[in-house]
Amino acid sequence: MAGGCALLFLAGGSDAVGGVHEGLTPVVGSLISNMAPVLFRGIGHSVNPASTLVLKVLSASPSAYSASPKTKLSTPSITGSTIALVSVVQARNNARMLISGSLDLFSNRFLRSGVLKAGSLNKHEKSGNEQFVTEISKWVFHERGHLKAVNVTHHRVAELAEPAMYRINDDLEYSIEIYEWSGSSWKPYVSDDVQVQFYMMSPYVLKSLSTDLKGLYFTSFKVPDVYGVFQFKVEYQRLGYTSLSLSKQVSNIIVILFLGCFH
């Protein structure tokens, strides 16, 4: 964390919000490039870029640096847009948390203050704080970026009933429905990176799922020539969205052998 005195400055809307990370859209939603600058008074922090659980949402300007004003300045520990002002964390159990170096960011005074950015003649009657806080709060409270999976089915091709077991080389179909909460209702989730594994100790089959753009994901494949107990597994993790972890076990994959004597 950057220590020392807390200074008041602007985090420009188009500079700090909207291009930090490809996973930002589900977090800030409809924040637009011409959003008024965000007023911020506080301290910055650093984010581990290798972490898959944390996402930087609001960053400092390219000319900023983090240091304590009470000590002689040498080489700043973090500089520019690597300084995170606001970041969010989503734990492995999908619990969410917001980290901010400023309490004033959420104050009525900052939400209602007008803003005139240095070097600009365009004065904003209100800062972008209210819009920023409103949108990011929706994500924190699972009103955005929240997924659910329902109606997991599997069966042999040309059949509808789910069998108790499969035989090797059976052709089967697998489907699942995925929806995203919009804040008022469940809407179809549309993506091209959902996969299913046919799993026993390791994936014997890994298939990308096609979608009808209405929430249904589906695929078909042939049961491998391997005996054992398998699982259909969907492990979906996309930054900014709740993770999905589903598994469905099928009984031993068997082949019936007929043995007898012939005269």
Side-chain angles (χ1 to χ4, degrees):
M1 299 291 286
C5 299
L7 303 178
L8 171 64
F9 61 95
L10 302 181
S14 59
D15 297 332
V17 180
V20 175
H21 200 286
E22 64 178 2
L24 202 61
T25 301
V27 178
V28 296
S30 59
L31 284 179
I32 52 179
S33 59
N34 61 349
M35 183 190 74
V38 176
L39 289 169
F40 183 96
R41 178 165 53 200
I43 59 175
H45 57 277
S46 61
V47 170
N48 182 359
S51 174
T52 59
L53 303 177
V54 63
L55 178 62
K56 179 172 57 180
V57 180
L58 190 69
S59 59
S61 65
S63 59
Y65 64 89
S66 176
S68 172
K70 297 181 181 180
T71 60
K72 184 179 180 180
L73 179 64
S74 54
T75 301
S77 56
I78 51 177
T79 61
S81 58
T82 59
I83 302 173
L85 306 179
V86 177
S87 57
V88 292
V89 178
Q90 179 169 274
R92 291 183 174 85
N93 65 351
N94 289 326
R96 291 174 173 176
M97 177 176 62
L98 181 143
I99 300 172
S100 171
S102 170
L103 288 177
D104 290 329
L105 173 70
F106 308 93
S107 68
N108 289 336
R109 180 186 175 189
F110 276 28
L111 264 62
R112 297 169 182 169
S113 294
V115 177
L116 178 61
K117 195 172 183 179
S120 174
L121 298 177
N122 182 23
K123 182 178 180 179
H124 300 272
E125 295 300 322
K126 286 181 60 177
S127 69
N129 289 50
E130 183 175 356
Q131 186 181 3
F132 177 78
V133 170
T134 298
E135 295 300 325
I136 200 171
S137 296
K138 292 178 182 178
W139 184 86
V140 173
F141 293 110
H142 287 262
E143 295 179 11
R144 175 180 289 122
H146 185 86
L147 304 179
K148 74 169 182 178
V150 295
N151 297 332
V152 180
T153 64
H154 61 88
H155 53 79
R156 295 186 181 90
V157 172
E159 297 182 7
L160 295 178
E162 185 175 298
M165 62 184 65
Y166 288 99
R167 297 185 177 91
I168 60 172
N169 297 324
D170 274 351
D171 292 308
L172 64 83
E173 295 178 339
Y174 176 90
S175 66
I176 185 174
E177 295 178 30
I178 302 177
Y179 298 94
E180 179 181 3
W181 183 248
S182 68
S184 57
S185 62
W186 292 101
K187 303 291 185 182
Y189 176 70
V190 178
S191 183
D192 60 358
D193 58 353
V194 182
Q195 297 180 322
V196 64
Q197 305 174 42
F198 201 52
Y199 188 94
M200 183 180 66
M201 305 297 289
S202 62
Y204 279 79
V205 176
L206 178 62
K207 293 277 290 186
S208 294
L209 300 181
S210 303
T211 178
D212 65 352
L213 305 181
K214 297 179 181 179
L216 178 66
Y217 291 81
F218 55 91
T219 191
S220 61
F221 58 89
K222 190 180 292 290
V223 175
D225 190 2
V226 179
Y227 305 108
V229 178
F230 283 79
Q231 287 182 323
F232 295 97
K233 295 185 69 173
V234 173
E235 298 285 347
Y236 187 70
Q237 295 181 345
R238 187 173 181 182
L239 200 58
Y241 291 92
T242 51
S243 59
L244 299 175
S245 180
L246 303 102
S247 62
K248 200 167 188 179
Q249 183 172 300
V250 291
S251 300
N252 288 15
I253 310 299
I254 65 169
V255 170
I256 298 178
L257 299 177
F258 293 94
L259 301 177
C261 298
F262 295 91
H263 298 282

